[in-house]
Structure formats: structure tokens, C-alpha cells
């Protein structure tokens, strides 16, 4: 099984050379194409190709990332899911902009809507599909802004209920309870046991990695200077963005944290990655980067354990999520 997955990923990386834009599959053909697509591993994302399908949920085979993308009508700003459904965050722009989180089923049909307090930032769903998490900007619109404020909520997607906001969880640091008025939380990532999660807690301009329990509504600080964590499939490491000051400018570099030893290692990606990375497998990451010309984004991939160059995985795409049947 492991060999088969590695083989698929090697093909993804090799086959992701720049090519001509491929038009989405739409209309009646989309339903059939999506059903066929879901029989094998695929990448779910937000389509940012200009045209009628802009902003819709889309997918391509994991083994052929430059294939024609299949889209569904669901409009969104951020998405994450599994083979049974997922969670989409979106802004409803108009004279009065509102925000919402939408749970959806395996056919990408909405099942429940939750109101959001601000602009969508991060979304995650637990491996089983039971729990979801959203992060929104309540004040400010960027992690680069000194005045930003976030709100992170965990949902029970099966029951269509809000479990709670991380701001209400009991936090422990160095064996003692810890609570400050400046706490900000973001970037949840879930373990397979449907209880453990990791996230970022910011206090005093220091981003900490916390490990929490959904059932107990508690979390413990386990490392510092970790933002937007993403738990590896083997649950031994966390990929994250590490804040750096380069030539007077704040940027984020992708790094890997070994949860057992606490050792940090870099990756071959040296550009500014302001995204929560997604593990393709235990040695490859996917993440979004804005177009160098400004406007729009592409999904890139990098091998974490080698000096291979990063490769563009899906052009005109954002918010990657690897889904396996």
C-alpha cells in the first residue's frame, strides 16, 4: 500500500510541469466526471481560473494534477474535506457582506450553514469527517497586520453543532493554567482519533503550538514559533510556516517539526508561504502561492526530505486538500 502511494505521488510531482490551461468539466458531464474522480485519490481545491467557474469547488485526480478539473456549483473562499464531505468557508459579498461556513456531503451539496464573525482564513476537517474547524479574521485581514484578531471555532459536522471556540478552551503552559487577554488562535489540524488537535496560539507576538482535546476542551503549549500547523499522515511531524524577518520584511518559510524530539528542519521551498500546508503523503507538501504578477494563486508541491525544486501542482487554484476514498 505504501509503495503504491509513493508511486502515485512521484507521478504527481513529475507530471506537474507547466502546461496549457485546461478547461473545467461542467454541466451534466460534471456529475459523471465527479463520480468517476471520487473512486480514486484526488485533490480538492478552490478554482481560480477566470470564467464562469471561478470560485467554485473543484477537483483533479491526485495522479494527474493537470487533467481537466471537475467543478461543482458550491462557491467558496476556503475548503477542506474527505471522501464523505467537508467544510467550505465563504464571503457573501454585497451591499452588506456576510460570512458563513457550509458543511457539505460527498456530492458537494450543502447540509448545514454556520454564521461566521469575519473573513475566512483557514478550514480543516478531521480524518473521519466528524469534526471541522474554521478560522476567520474578526479585525484586520492578514497575519502580517499588527492589528489582526482571529476567531477559531470547532464544529461537530455530524450533529451540525458548534463544539466551541478555542478562546473558551482551558490552556496550560509549563504545567500551569495560562490565560491572557491577547490570545489569538488559528490553523487547526486534527489527529485520527477524533479528539486530538493541534493549533497556533499567539500571545505577546509569539506564536505557540498547542495540542488539545476536543472532548475535554483543553490544550497545552508544546512548542513555540509555529504557525498554521499541519499534522503528517503518520502523526509524527507537523509542517508549519515559520515567521522570519528578511531584508526588513516579514515572511514565512515552510518548516517541519518532529513532535517526539522537538527538532525543526527546513524544506527546499524558500519563498514566502502564507498558507497552511497540506500533506500529500509523508514526504510531500502542497500549498498555495500567489501569482508573481499579482492576483490569483497556484498550488505548488515540495518534497520535504530532499533538495528537489518545488513544482507547480495545479495552476489557478487555491486551498488544496488531498482526499482518499
Amino acid at each position: 500500500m505504501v509503495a503504491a502511494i509513493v508511486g502515485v505521488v512521484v507521478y504527481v510531482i513529475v507530471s506537474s510541469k507547466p502546461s496549457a490551461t485546461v478547461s473545467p468539466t461542467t454541466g451534466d458531464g460534471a456529475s459523471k466526471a465527479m463520480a468517476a474522480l471520487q473512486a480514486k485519490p484526488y485533490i480538492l481545491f478552490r478554482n481560480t481560473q477566470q470564467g464562469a467557474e471561478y470560485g467554485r469547488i473543484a477537483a483533479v485526480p491526485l495522479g494527474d494534477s493537470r487533467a481537466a478539473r471537475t467543478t461543482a456549483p458550491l462557491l467558496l473562499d476556503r475548503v477542506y474535506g474527505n471522501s464523505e464531505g467537508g467544510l467550505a468557508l465563504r464571503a457573501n459579498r454585497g451591499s452588506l457582506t456576510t460570512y458563513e461556513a457550509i458543511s457539505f456531503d460527498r456530492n458537494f451539496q450543502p447540509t448545514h450553514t454556520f454564521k461566521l464573525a469575519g473573513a475566512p482564513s483557514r478550514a480543516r476537517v478531521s480524518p473521519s469527517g466528524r469534526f471541522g474547524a474554521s478560522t476567520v479574521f474578526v479585525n484586520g485581514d492578514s497575519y502580517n497586520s499588527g492589528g489582526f484578531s482571529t476567531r477559531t471555532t470547532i464544529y461537530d459536522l455530524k450533529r451540525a453543532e458548534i463544539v466551541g471556540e478555542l478562546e473558551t478552551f482551558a490552556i496550560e503552559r509549563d504545567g500551569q493554567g495560562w490565560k491572557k487577554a491577547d490570545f489569538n488562535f488559528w490553523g487547526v489540524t486534527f489527529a485520527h482519533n477524533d479528539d486530538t488537535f493541534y493549533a497556533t496560539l499567539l500571545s505577546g507576538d509569539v506564536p505557540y503550538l498547542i495540542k488539545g482535546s476536543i472532548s475535554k476542551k483543553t490544550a497545552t503549549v508544546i512548542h513555540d514559533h509555529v504557525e498554521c500547523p499541519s499534522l503528517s499522515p503518520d502523526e509524527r511531524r507537523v509542517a508549519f510556516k515559520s515567521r522570519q524577518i528578511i531584508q526588513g520584511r516579514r515572511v514565512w518559510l515552510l518548516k517541519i517539526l518532529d513532535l517526539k524530539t522537538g527538532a525543526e528542519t527546513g524544506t527546499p521551498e524558500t519563498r514566502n508561504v502564507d498558507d497552511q500546508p497540506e500533506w500529500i503523503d509523508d514526504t510531500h507538501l502542497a500549498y498555495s502561492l500567489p501569482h508573481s504578477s499579482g492576483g490569483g494563486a497556484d498550488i505548488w508541491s515540495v518534497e520535504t526530505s530532499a533538495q528537489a525544486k518545488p513544482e507547480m501542482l495545479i495552476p489557478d487554484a487555491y486551498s488544496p486538500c488531498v482526499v482518499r476514498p
Side-chain angles (χ1 to χ4, degrees), residues 2 5 9 232-237 279-284 304-305:
V2 173
I5 293 176
V9 172
S232 63
D234 62 12
E235 301 192 350
R236 296 178 179 178
R237 292 154 295 152
W279 289 87
I280 298 174
D281 67 358
D282 281 321
T283 57
H284 294 83
T304 62
S305 58

Side-chain angles (χ1 to χ4, degrees), residues 18 47 50 57 101 113 127-128 130 132 151 159 205 208 211 223-224 234 248 278 312 318:
N47 179 52
Q50 294 299 318
I57 195 168
T113 300
S128 73
R130 178 180 176 184
R151 185 171 299 174
R159 296 181 178 180
D205 202 37
Y208 299 92
K211 179 180 181 180
H223 203 78
D224 56 23
D234 62 12
E278 164 76 343
M312 186 186 292
Y318 180 72

Side-chain angles (χ1 to χ4, degrees), residues 198-199 207-211 220-224 226 229 238 257 259:
Y198 298 83
Y208 299 92
L209 177 65
I210 59 172
K211 179 180 181 180
T220 302
V221 173
I222 62 172
H223 203 78
D224 56 23
V226 171
V238 162
L257 170 69
L259 290 172

Side-chain angles (χ1 to χ4, degrees), residues 14-15 45 77 83 93 100 130 176 185 204 215 241 290 321:
V14 172
S15 67
F45 58 94
D77 291 274
S83 60
R93 297 173 176 86
E100 58 188 8
R130 178 180 176 184
Q176 297 182 344
F185 299 83
S215 61
K241 62 178 195 179
C321 170

Side-chain angles (χ1 to χ4, degrees), residues 236-287:
R236 296 178 179 178
R237 292 154 295 152
V238 162
F240 66 99
K241 62 178 195 179
S242 173
R243 188 189 310 179
Q244 310 285 324
I245 303 297
I246 300 178
Q247 297 180 345
R249 187 170 66 98
R250 179 183 291 183
V251 298
W252 288 275
L253 301 181
L254 283 181
K255 287 190 175 183
I256 308 296
L257 170 69
D258 186 304
L259 290 172
K260 183 177 181 180
T261 67
E264 296 182 14
T265 56
T267 72
E269 177 56 83
T270 59
R271 291 170 293 183
N272 179 30
V273 179
D274 184 9
D275 194 18
Q276 185 171 11
E278 164 76 343
W279 289 87
I280 298 174
D281 67 358
D282 281 321
T283 57
H284 294 83
L285 296 174
Y287 46 93

Side-chain angles (χ1 to χ4, degrees), residues 61-135:
L62 180 60
D64 187 7
S65 62
R66 295 305 181 89
R69 59 192 68 185
T70 301
T71 63
L74 185 60
L75 290 167
L76 48 88
D77 291 274
R78 193 89 195 189
V79 65
Y80 204 88
N82 65 5
S83 60
E84 297 303 316
L87 187 69
L89 312 184
R90 74 179 179 192
N92 299 310
R93 297 173 176 86
S95 56
L96 178 62
T97 301
T98 60
Y99 307 98
E100 58 188 8
I102 303 168
S103 59
F104 57 87
D105 62 22
R106 70 185 320 273
N107 297 314
F108 306 106
Q109 295 298 310
T111 56
H112 194 78
T113 300
F114 305 91
K115 291 183 179 180
L116 295 176
S121 173
R122 309 293 182 214
R124 273 299 192 268
V125 171
S126 66
S128 73
R130 178 180 176 184
F131 293 106
S134 68
T135 296

Side-chain angles (χ1 to χ4, degrees), residues 184-229:
N184 272 299
F185 299 83
W186 68 83
V188 171
T189 183
F190 294 97
H192 285 86
N193 64 6
D194 259 353
D195 187 59
T196 302
F197 70 90
Y198 298 83
T200 294
L201 161 59
L202 180 73
S203 180
D205 202 37
V206 177
Y208 299 92
L209 177 65
I210 59 172
K211 179 180 181 180
S213 165
I214 297 173
S215 61
K216 297 178 181 178
K217 293 189 177 182
T218 60
T220 302
V221 173
I222 62 172
H223 203 78
D224 56 23
H225 296 286
V226 171
E227 297 186 56
C228 295

